[in-house]
Amino acid sequence: MSNTLTLTQQLIAYRSLTPLDEGCLPLISARLAAIDFKIEMMRHGNVDNLWARRGESGPLLCFAGHTDVVPTGPVEKWHSDPFTPTIRDGLLYGRGAADMKGSLAAFVTSIEKFVAAHPQHTGSIALLLTSDEEGVAVDGTVRVVQALQARGEKMDYCIVGEPTSVAKIGDTIKNGRRGSLSGTLTVKGVQGHIAYPHLVKNPIHLASPAIAELAAVEWDKGNEYFPATSWQISNIHGGTGATNVVPGTVEIEFNFRFSTASTVQALKDKTHAILDKHGLSYDLVWVLSGKPYLTPRGKLVDAISAAIWKITGITTELSTTGGTSDGRFIADICPQVVEFGPLNATIHKLNECVAVADLDTLSEIYYATMVNLLTNKT
């Protein structure tokens, strides 16, 4: 049984439902402390965070991830207990196996191997781990990043262990993510009896032309790495529940998934310009969940791509699809951020699993990446 498999099983056994850690970080910290990492626990609210670093010089390569997992769903529909790691037909089952306790285990075992082989390696290695990624994500990675910013500590490279592979381990890495900007638009009208249209102003009718224009706008054309920015309505709320009353307001919730081809301010300005053009009386509350980030081809992308090729023979694909990740916070203090981990086919599902063989492959890829970045060897 491999070290990576054993550690993954130990981590799965902790019921670390977000935002609880339940012992994962102490287990990892003990192993890192044994190879001369400086350990800092940063607790915010009810969230446990870890910043661990070995070395003082640059470049600094950070591995980032989370110990928390999403709820299991109906336990009776799992083929085995979700917190009892179980191997069947070459697959390791358990909540968090793919997202992302397998990656965390591979981080640790690859670092242990690297430090043993290269005790005087150049630069520094760090881990940034949190128990608040699957939830609201306000006391996790973002808090650690703020603390590092306050003391002027920056990273050169960061690998986030999100499950990015699609069909085979190593076939896809994420070199960026779109931003997420949400708005709650309240269009105001005049409530009244539906039989007296001359005495009312129907806010649903008033908003409709503006909605149509917002849906038709080409916000940008995207770029080499990102698709065009998308504007989508998620919810519309209007009406009193009665069939004979025109409502006084309609509330429209929408979201931009936007690329680096647009800025937050430009999206806001254009939205307000369209609403104003249609003469609407409205309130609009904005919430920025995450800015887009992008790591073009360079040292980190080249290093991990070469490592994947060496270990698997696969030419990896760069992708920016999917939702947000904690990479959006880390990009504030790190110019090169990528995400790479095991297959994502079962994440958040019943019977989440990871191929046992992929765990050692993942550890070997992380190890080879460190060799490429922190030694003079290739």
Side-chain angles (χ1 to χ4, degrees), residues 3-4 6-8 10-11 24-35 37 39 50 52 63-64 67 100-116 125-127 129 359 362-364 366-367 370:
N3 289 333
T4 309
T6 300
L7 182 53
T8 304
Q10 291 173 324
L11 292 170
C24 297
L25 291 179
L27 174 63
I28 292 172
S29 296
R31 292 182 67 147
L32 296 175
I35 53 174
F37 273 76
I39 305 299
L50 169 67
F63 294 93
T67 61
M100 58 175 3
K101 292 182 176 180
S103 295
L104 301 186
F107 286 167
V108 174
T109 58
S110 65
I111 292 169
E112 289 172 334
K113 178 181 176 181
F114 180 77
V115 169
I125 307 169
L127 267 80
L129 304 180
L359 294 172
L362 185 59
S363 182
E364 288 298 320
Y366 292 150
Y367 172 85
M370 283 184 278

Side-chain angles (χ1 to χ4, degrees), residues 185 187 205-216 231 274-275 278 280:
L185 170 66
V187 178
H205 295 180
L206 295 172
S208 295
I211 291 173
E213 183 169 349
L214 289 165
W231 181 86
I274 291 171
L275 297 173
H278 287 275
L280 299 179

Side-chain angles (χ1 to χ4, degrees), residues 57-245:
S57 62
L60 171 58
L61 168 61
C62 176
F63 294 93
H66 59 89
T67 61
D68 58 323
V69 298
V70 296
T72 62
V75 174
E76 67 275 9
K77 292 188 178 181
W78 283 69
H79 299 323
S80 53
D81 185 279
F83 295 105
T84 302
T86 305
I87 297 175
R88 295 191 302 275
D89 301 322
L91 300 174
L92 172 63
Y93 288 84
R95 176 56 87 218
D99 188 13
M100 58 175 3
K101 292 182 176 180
S103 295
L104 301 186
F107 286 167
V108 174
T109 58
S110 65
I111 292 169
E112 289 172 334
K113 178 181 176 181
F114 180 77
V115 169
H118 306 279
Q120 304 302 320
H121 61 82
T122 59
S124 303
I125 307 169
L127 267 80
L128 193 171
L129 304 180
T130 182
S131 65
D132 180 34
E133 195 273 348
E134 297 289 9
V136 294
V138 297
D139 286 321
T141 298
V142 64
R143 294 286 195 178
V144 180
V145 168
Q146 290 169 351
L148 296 177
Q149 279 180 314
R151 64 194 194 198
E153 198 165 356
K154 297 182 179 180
M155 309 171 193
D156 296 283
Y157 316 112
C158 182
I159 299 172
V160 185
E162 289 291 342
T164 59
S165 301
V166 179
K168 294 181 179 180
I169 189 165
D171 61 7
T172 306
I173 64 175
K174 304 287 187 182
N175 67 318
R177 294 277 190 163
R178 292 175 295 177
S180 178
L181 175 65
S182 297
T184 300
L185 170 66
T186 303
V187 178
K188 303 172 184 178
V190 176
Q191 180 177 320
H193 198 293
I194 206 164
Y196 298 90
H198 59 290
L199 298 179
V200 302
K201 290 184 178 180
N202 192 317
I204 300 174
H205 295 180
L206 295 172
S208 295
I211 291 173
E213 183 169 349
L214 289 165
V217 166
E218 181 182 69
W219 300 92
D220 59 48
K221 297 181 181 295
N223 55 36
E224 177 186 358
Y225 298 102
F226 286 101
T229 291
S230 170
W231 181 86
Q232 297 291 329
I233 290 176
S234 57
N235 289 287
I236 296 181
H237 307 279
T240 64
T243 59
N244 62 349
V245 178

